[in-house]
Amino acid sequence: MTNPNQKAVQRRQIIYIGLIIALLTLSLIWRGKESFRLPSFVADYNRVGALHQARRTHDFKEVPAAQSPINVVGDWLASRTILEQASRESLDLREVDQGDAEVDAAFVRLTLTGSRGLAVTYLWRQAMEYQKRNEFHKFEQTVNAVVRLQPNFTTPWLYQSCNISYNVSVENDRLTDMYYYIARGIELLAKGERLNRDSPDMRYYIAFYYQNKFSVSDKVTTLRSMMQLSAIKPSERNPNAMRDQSDPTQREAFQNFVRKNPQLCRRLREKLGYTQPKQIVQFLDDNERVPTRYDRDRQDAVMSPNEQFPALPPRFPEGPGELHPGVAELDDTFDAFLAARAWFLYSLTVVPPPTSEPDGPQLKAADRFRYRIPKAPTLIIFRQGAPRAQTYFAERLQTEGWFDADTRWYPDERADSRAETWFGDRNDVSRGDALGNRGEALASNASSREAWAKSFAMWALHGEQNGLRFSPAQLLNYQELARSVPDDDRLSMLNDEQLKAAGFRREQIRARNILNAYDRNRNMTNIGYFLAVTEAEQDPQTVKARQKLFDAAQTEQAGRKSEAITQYVDALAAWRQVLLRFKDFHRADKPEEDTYDMELKLVALLERSPEIQERARGTALAMQAMMPFAHEAVVAYPPVPDFAREIAEREANLRIAAEDPRVQERVDALMSDKKDDAAIAKDWHVVLKWKRAIAAELANRAAEKPLTSPERQKAADEPRWRAKAVEAFLVAGTKPTAWAELNQARDEIAKAVVEREFDWLPEYRDNFKDDSNRWVRPEAVRIVKQRLNLIRAKPSDPSTESTTESR
């Protein structure tokens, strides 16, 4: 007879075996093994695959309809099995789905089996040894082997591309070799991006290398020129076709090259000093084999997108106007900043979309697998790469003298000899041939004005899309809601009932959080500065003022000092009107410091002028005469240079302020005043002096023979000649005149007006009533003078020196 305990044991064993079999069967079914799949009348596996694709692409339009409600449930269950969820349709983890596949590299990786880690470690160490020994060719080959053994690990691509572009490139003395390794570093990272097409970091740093290496490098002018050569067809820059300038055909080929590439040739001539055609041809010869987008064996044939340099992103919907490998020809406006802008925009296609408010909606669960978050920099800064690159592009055009569509460049204007003339002989009157800012192949963004306008539009859009730029009404609404809310992050963790008990509403807490994020992000991105700068720089008035400053600098470089002084005064007066109009732009640190930098150029010219030097020596002699006991100190520390600089700064500010429209209106009013001579002489002796002088000169010019001195004095007092003198003076103020005395009269009267009635305009006095009237604040002046080493240390007290030494 069976023991009851034995029966209980048997029952438990049967139950355990049954549970084991059931769980095993269920696990096999849940894993989705082929033998344990749901029958076809329950689950349609073609529809299951379509469901996986739809979940990944977030597009369910292509999913076929289920045949019955049973199929709906069966398809859902089948799609949730382990193998189905790990399938390539679901996870998109195949190498070919992540990017371009490399069959030969995959074969090597499979051959190494489990020893790939050892091989990578050895090769990495070997690459570092090659770099230490400056065996850069072997280093590059070894790096290529390392990254191909682990193509979907982004860190080696990022590290080694940076290493080649920065560390390896600077080890080369020849700029051609430096440019080659910068290009190789960018090409390496572009290749890695093609193998990892959803990496925002790789796209961003390709753009960053373009922007950084071609904007802040020590040899940026030459590197920019080389990059433009990379984009020019080899047949158009063939040095052998333009080497012999005595041959009319070859000279014409050189002239055609200059006409088609005015920005490149202007940079070579004005920035690098290549004034002779043979120097330009030699530059083309030295850099004939720079990395390029054209096939060397087939001259002007464009290579495949993966082999071109400059490396550009593929065409993408979010950047319809950006450069891409399919562009037939890159024109003369192309530079690294346009390539950077394209890559920056391309990097945004894989990051989460922007939100117009800092606390915008969070990503849904499915979107977390659709988008990528960059490792660095923070996302709000990551998004502003494209407008920043556009700003650099506008600055480059402005610095090189391409201001608007009417800009003309005269290559032979400053030619000193026939050898430096590019377009035939030039006489002393003619400026030579003019090259416009638009040629047959030039794009529409060939001027700084257009580039600044695009930059402002990009910054404004960036601000609106990312919650960095609110309308005044919107900002006021948030401020009113958050007025009574303390700045306490813990309030966001309270529920509605707790908030109600504390006397707050949820929308008030949200408004406070939005304002905090708004202030934090604006400070982090400095978008207020960029909006102010780009808004001001795109204005036609600013463009004209910039062009005047540029022309004055060119005149100074040509050695025409007196003419340069006049141009600087006119340019700085126009610039001052820009600052008065754009307050935010004016008070930004960099524009204000740049303003004083420009003013110092005028001060330096005036300081070296004979007039100022004579006034400085006179001041020093007067000081010695008044203080004869200080003669030895004056000899030991001659004050003439200091006096000259002080007088020059005062004179510069006087002349600039004298050009102010309000001052000119006052000058015209004084000259037109019909008071008698005694009343005029009492208040404005300088006005009476010039009224008489101009009247006498007009009478002298109208007479058949030169007037005697008494006749001139008599004419100076006659009403009809006085009236004509006023008329001539007013006309000279509206249009240029060859009568130098009229200009001299206006300048002298204007300076007297400034000193007596508009003392806040110049900066030669210390007793300002309001510091906001200064166009350059004292702290900006101090920073610029310290940077230029213009603040001289005062002579030390001998007693202090001895005390210090004794200590």
Side-chain angles (χ1 to χ4, degrees):
M1 186 174 180
T2 307
N3 191 317
N5 292 331
Q6 291 179 337
K7 290 182 177 181
V9 170
Q10 291 175 354
R11 284 197 300 270
R12 283 198 299 270
Q13 290 175 342
I14 294 172
I15 292 172
Y16 291 159
I17 292 173
L19 288 173
I20 291 172
I21 294 173
L23 290 174
L24 178 61
T25 305
L26 182 61
S27 67
L28 291 174
I29 295 174
W30 191 247
R31 287 182 62 191
K33 284 296 220 177
E34 187 74 27
S35 304
F36 294 91
R37 281 189 170 188
L38 294 174
S40 58
F41 68 87
V42 176
D44 182 359
Y45 281 90
N46 290 328
R47 186 170 179 273
V48 169
L51 279 172
H52 285 313
Q53 294 285 346
R55 288 170 185 160
R56 183 161 50 83
T57 61
H58 303 273
D59 183 7
F60 291 87
K61 296 178 181 178
E62 302 298 327
V63 178
Q67 297 180 0
S68 66
I70 296 177
N71 286 108
V72 173
V73 177
D75 294 345
W76 185 88
L77 289 173
S79 68
R80 296 301 176 181
T81 61
I82 294 173
L83 291 180
E84 282 295 336
Q85 291 185 73
S87 66
R88 64 188 186 186
E89 290 82 5
S90 176
L91 295 181
D92 192 18
L93 288 178
R94 294 178 302 167
E95 183 178 354
V96 71
D97 291 324
Q98 295 183 66
D100 297 343
E102 288 188 308
V103 178
D104 54 344
F107 174 77
V108 173
R109 292 196 299 272
L110 292 173
T111 303
L112 290 172
T113 60
S115 60
R116 183 173 61 167
L118 295 174
V120 168
T121 303
Y122 170 77
L123 290 173
W124 189 281
R125 183 182 180 86
Q126 194 65 33
M128 296 300 101
E129 289 297 323
Y130 286 143
Q131 183 178 355
K132 290 177 183 177
R133 297 198 296 265
N134 289 350
E135 298 180 21
F136 297 132
H137 182 66
K138 294 181 179 179
F139 166 77
E140 187 181 356
Q141 290 180 332
T142 309
V143 166
N144 281 324
V146 170
V147 294
R148 293 182 73 185
L149 285 176
Q150 43 189 0
N152 302 123
F153 183 28
T154 61
T155 300
W157 295 100
L158 291 167
Y159 176 85
Q160 292 295 359
S161 62
C162 177
N163 192 22
I164 294 173
S165 296
Y166 286 83
N167 300 331
V168 174
S169 66
V170 298
E171 293 292 333
N172 294 272
D173 296 329
R174 294 178 67 245
L175 289 180
T176 304
D177 295 336
M178 179 185 294
Y179 178 73
Y180 170 81
Y181 280 106
I182 293 173
R184 294 300 293 166
I186 294 174
E187 286 179 330
L188 178 69
L189 193 53
K191 181 179 180 180
E193 191 279 330
R194 290 192 295 271
L195 297 175
N196 302 271
R197 64 165 62 105
D198 288 338
S199 171
D201 298 283
M202 301 182 86
R203 298 178 183 181
Y204 181 88
Y205 280 102
I206 293 173
F208 181 80
Y209 296 163
Y210 274 126
Q211 180 172 283
N212 191 256
K213 293 301 294 183
F214 295 95
S215 66
V216 297
S217 171
D218 294 336
K219 307 295 183 181
V220 63
T221 302
T222 305
L223 294 176
R224 284 178 182 170
S225 302
M226 289 181 181
M227 189 164 187
Q228 279 192 275
L229 289 184
S230 295
I232 300 175
K233 295 179 179 178
S235 63
E236 295 179 0
R237 57 181 175 89
N238 181 11
N240 297 323
M242 54 186 97
R243 195 182 304 277
D244 186 4
Q245 289 295 296
S246 62
D247 184 346
T249 303
Q250 296 206 10
R251 187 168 183 83
E252 183 181 1
F254 170 77
Q255 293 172 349
N256 290 336
F257 174 80
V258 175
R259 290 190 180 98
K260 191 168 184 180
N261 303 281
Q263 293 195 24
L264 169 63
C265 294
R266 185 177 191 177
R267 187 184 307 116
L268 293 176
R269 179 159 192 154
E270 296 183 354
K271 302 291 185 181
L272 295 179
Y274 296 164
T275 57
Q276 299 182 21
K278 65 179 183 180
Q279 294 174 311
I280 303 293
V281 175
Q282 186 61 47
F283 178 81
L284 299 180
D285 194 12
D286 293 341
N287 301 283
E288 186 178 10
R289 298 192 65 80
V290 293
T292 181
R293 66 194 303 256
Y294 297 97
D295 193 331
R296 299 189 186 281
D297 298 328
R298 295 184 297 156
Q299 282 292 310
D300 296 344
V302 180
M303 292 191 292
S304 65
N306 295 351
E307 298 175 320
Q308 294 181 22
F309 186 83
L312 298 171
R315 190 195 300 265
F316 56 101
E318 294 82 356
E322 298 302 319
L323 299 175
H324 57 86
V327 174
E329 183 175 355
L330 300 176
D331 57 59
D332 187 49
T333 64
F334 170 76
D335 69 358
F337 300 127
L338 295 182
R341 189 185 72 191
W343 279 105
F344 277 132
L345 284 174
Y346 189 47
S347 68
L348 297 181
T349 60
V350 292
V351 300
T355 57
S356 59
E357 294 180 336
D359 69 335
Q362 299 297 317
L363 290 178
K364 299 178 181 179
D367 289 339
R368 294 177 183 174
F369 297 98
R370 180 181 181 183
Y371 299 111
R372 303 289 185 270
I373 303 296
K375 297 178 182 178
T378 183
L379 191 55
I380 192 65
I381 296 179
F382 185 92
R383 296 184 190 279
Q384 72 178 33
R388 188 70 184 96
Q390 178 64 25
T391 302
Y392 276 125
F393 177 64
E395 288 174 348
R396 196 269 295 173
L397 290 171
Q398 179 175 279
T399 303
E400 295 182 354
W402 303 102
F403 296 99
D404 54 26
D406 298 327
T407 297
R408 295 292 180 269
W409 173 48
Y410 299 86
D412 297 333
E413 183 177 12
R414 292 166 58 184
D416 295 327
S417 63
R418 184 178 179 85
E420 294 182 356
T421 304
W422 292 6
F423 291 92
D425 294 333
R426 177 184 65 82
N427 55 41
D428 294 336
V429 179
S430 171
R431 301 172 69 183
D433 287 11
L435 299 185
N437 199 15
R438 301 188 191 282
E440 296 178 358
L442 294 188
S444 61
N445 60 345
S447 73
S448 65
R449 180 182 175 184
E450 294 166 340
W452 282 118
K454 183 177 178 65
S455 181
F456 175 70
M458 293 181 71
W459 280 110
L461 180 63
H462 170 70
E464 293 166 1
Q465 289 182 339
N466 293 276
L468 296 169
R469 193 181 187 217
F470 292 153
S471 66
Q474 192 176 9
L475 187 59
L476 181 61
N477 179 50
Y478 287 136
Q479 290 172 343
E480 288 295 328
L481 285 172
R483 188 178 302 279
S484 60
V485 179
D487 193 4
D488 189 348
D489 293 337
R490 292 174 296 180
L491 292 174
S492 301
M493 296 183 286
L494 302 180
N495 57 36
D496 292 341
E497 293 182 0
Q498 292 171 324
L499 285 176
K500 186 176 180 180
F504 300 116
R505 302 191 309 274
R506 179 65 61 185
E507 60 181 356
Q508 291 179 294
I509 306 302
R510 179 172 178 268
R512 169 55 61 196
N513 292 338
I514 287 176
L515 289 176
N516 288 342
Y518 174 78
D519 293 337
R520 181 175 61 252
N521 290 341
R522 282 182 66 89
N523 290 333
M524 188 186 307
T525 60
N526 204 16
I527 190 174
Y529 165 79
F530 290 114
L531 284 171
V533 169
T534 53
E535 181 183 20
E537 294 285 7
Q538 70 169 339
D539 189 82
Q541 182 182 2
T542 310
V543 174
K544 291 300 181 184
R546 287 284 191 187
Q547 188 163 13
K548 287 182 178 181
L549 288 165
F550 182 85
D551 293 340
Q554 294 290 98
T555 303
E556 180 187 1
Q557 291 177 10
R560 304 195 298 271
K561 307 297 183 183
S562 178
E563 184 182 348
I565 290 174
T566 303
Q567 287 184 332
Y568 267 123
V569 170
D570 180 48
L572 286 167
W575 183 249
R576 188 177 179 283
Q577 296 304 312
V578 171
L579 299 181
L580 290 172
R581 182 178 173 190
F582 297 98
K583 302 293 185 182
D584 293 338
F585 172 67
H586 179 191
R587 289 312 181 194
D589 291 339
K590 188 177 185 302
E592 195 168 28
E593 292 173 16
D594 290 346
T595 297
Y596 190 64
D597 243 335
M598 294 182 288
E599 186 181 355
L600 282 179
K601 294 179 181 179
L602 172 61
V603 171
L605 287 171
L606 287 170
E607 183 183 359
R608 295 190 294 269
S609 67
E611 176 191 353
I612 300 299
Q613 287 292 320
E614 184 63 29
R615 288 167 61 180
R617 284 191 291 270
T619 303
L621 291 173
M623 185 184 72
Q624 291 182 22
M626 289 186 295
M627 296 183 295
F629 56 85
H631 177 74
E632 294 183 1
V634 171
V635 172
Y637 303 101
V640 173
D642 292 334
F643 286 160
R645 175 162 292 276
E646 290 295 329
I647 295 172
E649 285 205 30
R650 178 181 185 275
E651 183 69 19
N653 282 284
L654 265 176
R655 294 190 185 190
I656 295 167
E659 298 289 330
D660 188 278
R662 288 163 294 182
V663 175
Q664 294 297 315
E665 289 177 6
R666 178 62 173 149
V667 170
D668 291 341
L670 287 171
M671 283 294 291
S672 304
D673 198 339
K674 300 187 181 301
K675 292 180 181 178
D676 58 38
D677 288 356
I680 296 176
K682 179 181 179 182
D683 296 323
W684 293 99
H685 180 268
V686 65
V687 175
L688 179 60
K689 182 189 78 170
W690 280 109
K691 271 189 176 183
R692 290 174 54 82
I694 296 171
E697 181 61 23
L698 285 172
N700 183 57
R701 293 188 177 194
E704 294 182 358
K705 61 179 181 178
L707 300 178
T708 63
S709 179
E711 290 174 333
R712 290 176 67 94
Q713 291 181 6
K714 180 181 179 181
D717 293 328
E718 291 184 10
R720 68 187 183 97
W721 291 116
R722 286 281 187 89
K724 288 185 177 183
V726 172
E727 181 181 353
F729 184 88
L730 296 178
V731 170
T734 59
K735 59 183 180 181
T737 177
W739 191 355
E741 286 78 5
L742 287 176
N743 298 327
Q744 183 182 352
R746 180 171 288 275
D747 292 343
E748 189 172 334
I749 297 172
K751 286 195 286 186
V753 169
V754 171
E755 290 184 300
R756 292 186 57 180
E757 297 183 358
F758 293 87
D759 65 334
W760 56 269
L761 283 173
E763 290 190 32
Y764 65 91
R765 294 188 180 185
D766 294 329
N767 56 341
F768 280 87
K769 297 178 181 178
D770 184 2
D771 256 2
S772 64
N773 285 329
R774 295 180 181 268
W775 75 326
V776 180
R777 291 169 295 183
E779 56 266 30
V781 172
R782 178 178 52 79
I783 291 172
V784 174
K785 284 188 172 182
Q786 285 180 340
R787 173 161 50 83
L788 298 178
N789 199 25
L790 295 178
I791 299 179
R792 300 200 313 178
K794 295 182 179 179
S796 56
D797 187 352
S799 61
T800 305
E801 290 183 356
S802 60
T803 305
T804 305
E805 290 177 1
S806 63
R807 290 179 182 175

